Amino acid sequence: MDVQIRPEPGAAGARARQRISGRAVLLSLGVLLANIVVNGLIFLFFRDSTLHPLLTAVLAVLWGVLGVYLIYYTLTWAVEQYPDHVRSKVLPYVFVGPAVLILGWLLILPALRTLYLSFFNASSEKFVGLSNYAAIFSDRLMATALRNNLLWVFVGTLACVCFGLLIAILADRSSYERIAKSIIFMPMAISFVAAGVIWKFVYYYQPGDEQIGLLNAIVTYFGGEPQAWTSMLQPWNNFFLIIILIWMQTGFAMVIFSAAIKGVPEDIMEAARVDGASEVKIFFGIMIPYISTTILTVTTTIIVFTLKIFDVVMVMTGGQYDTEVVATQFYRQFFMYRNFGYGSTLAIVLLIAVLPVILINLRQFRKQGGF
């Protein structure tokens, strides 16, 4: 007698549900295409619009908020039409995909185009190979800019990290911790341009006895001679500009270090004190090794700021008086002299200088389980 085994209805239904239907694929592609077409038409409308600028701005903000919401809502709805095993794999890309596309459009494509332009002459018509890269290391102004960038990197970063760590240690032991940290952190709320304007009045110099600059007013009050701090005193004027970076970024370093120090186990430090270790030994032997990854992260972050410093130098001196940095030289070559080949080369050199620091940061985040 033959026995015929029939599949269980539950198993057959599960396998049927695991199949990707053509309707789901077409539906998801249609939703994606509809989003592209609709948002593209809205973009063209705003680009060619003759509406009042204020109304255009309001509508653009609404489009930005509602448009992003509708994109994610419609794409999520389309993905939910797939079986569970496909949905779990596709859904993360729905949330990350638009951001990656925007970053690619705004960062990767311009970087590739800049790299392409760096191999051409000033008018981007004649291919010159690596001539622009060779010219960077033979240009006197570029030598000055590179030297100044190194000053910003070493002096600015070292001072920010040291002062930030010192203030974090002292503030954590003070009864006025919140007030002290708020005052030190306050410059972080100011843009680099605004900070440059503020310090321009601090360093302001005018011939004669009457000085409205704060620093020169103090100097003349004690019987000294007023100085043109950012112009005449070369190369010390670069250090006066670096002070602005220290004033702004020390608060950032202090907040990060303070949070890391609070995470150091108290029982370890108490055990060290019982064994007779001084506070200095505890600081260098326990605290510093425990927060070493935080110190590296803060250091690399500030190095990125210093490598691409532009605003402060442009506001304070405009790159004159031997205060030129790579970013200001790039701006001058590309936008003022219209030397697109050489300007693009400077941008690529700056990108190459920043990339290793960013990779170190990403490696640290990976070790800490950040991603």
Side-chain angles (χ1 to χ4, degrees), residues 23-35 78 82:
R23 175 180 172 274
V25 175
L26 292 176
L27 189 62
S28 59
L29 292 176
V31 168
L32 179 61
L33 182 61
N35 275 298
Y82 287 83

Side-chain angles (χ1 to χ4, degrees), residues 229-248:
W229 305 101
T230 58
S231 58
M232 294 176 63
L233 297 177
Q234 301 170 356
W236 295 100
N237 51 357
N238 287 287
F239 292 101
F240 288 115
L241 297 182
I242 294 173
I243 289 175
I244 304 173
L245 173 79
I246 298 171
W247 178 69
M248 295 192 67

Side-chain angles (χ1 to χ4, degrees), residues 28-203:
S28 59
L29 292 176
V31 168
L32 179 61
L33 182 61
N35 275 298
I36 294 173
V37 171
V38 170
N39 286 282
L41 291 175
I42 295 175
F43 170 77
L44 294 176
F45 168 76
F46 281 114
R47 188 190 66 179
D48 304 328
S49 175
T50 57
L51 298 175
H52 190 275
L54 182 59
L55 180 60
T56 303
V58 172
L59 292 176
V61 171
L62 291 175
W63 170 50
V65 176
L66 296 177
V68 171
Y69 173 78
L70 289 175
I71 288 172
Y72 282 107
Y73 178 81
T74 54
L75 290 177
T76 304
W77 177 81
V79 171
E80 287 177 352
Q81 310 306 312
Y82 287 83
D84 292 340
H85 72 288
V86 178
R87 185 192 312 161
S88 61
K89 295 179 180 179
V90 175
L91 197 58
Y93 294 98
V94 171
F95 290 98
V96 178
V100 172
L101 290 175
I102 292 173
L103 284 175
W105 183 28
L106 298 178
L107 293 179
I108 298 177
L109 289 180
L112 293 176
R113 176 164 174 76
T114 303
L115 177 64
Y116 172 78
L117 291 175
S118 67
F119 297 112
F120 287 81
N121 64 349
S123 60
S124 303
E125 295 176 351
K126 181 181 178 182
F127 182 79
V128 295
L130 298 175
S131 299
N132 289 323
Y133 292 90
I136 287 179
F137 299 100
S138 60
D139 187 351
R140 184 187 64 82
L141 288 177
M142 271 309 301
T144 302
L146 291 171
R147 180 205 67 187
N148 291 338
N149 263 112
L150 290 176
L151 281 177
W152 281 86
V153 168
F154 288 108
V155 178
T157 304
L158 181 63
C160 289
V161 172
C162 291
F163 285 136
L165 187 57
L166 178 63
I167 295 171
I169 294 291
L170 297 178
D172 285 343
R173 303 185 180 189
S174 172
S175 57
Y176 301 100
E177 178 183 355
R178 292 184 179 180
I179 298 176
K181 287 182 177 179
S182 298
I183 294 174
I184 300 298
F185 188 76
M186 197 175 296
M188 279 292 296
I190 305 173
S191 67
F192 276 101
V193 174
V197 173
I198 292 171
W199 281 85
K200 196 165 188 176
F201 284 104
V202 173
Y203 292 141

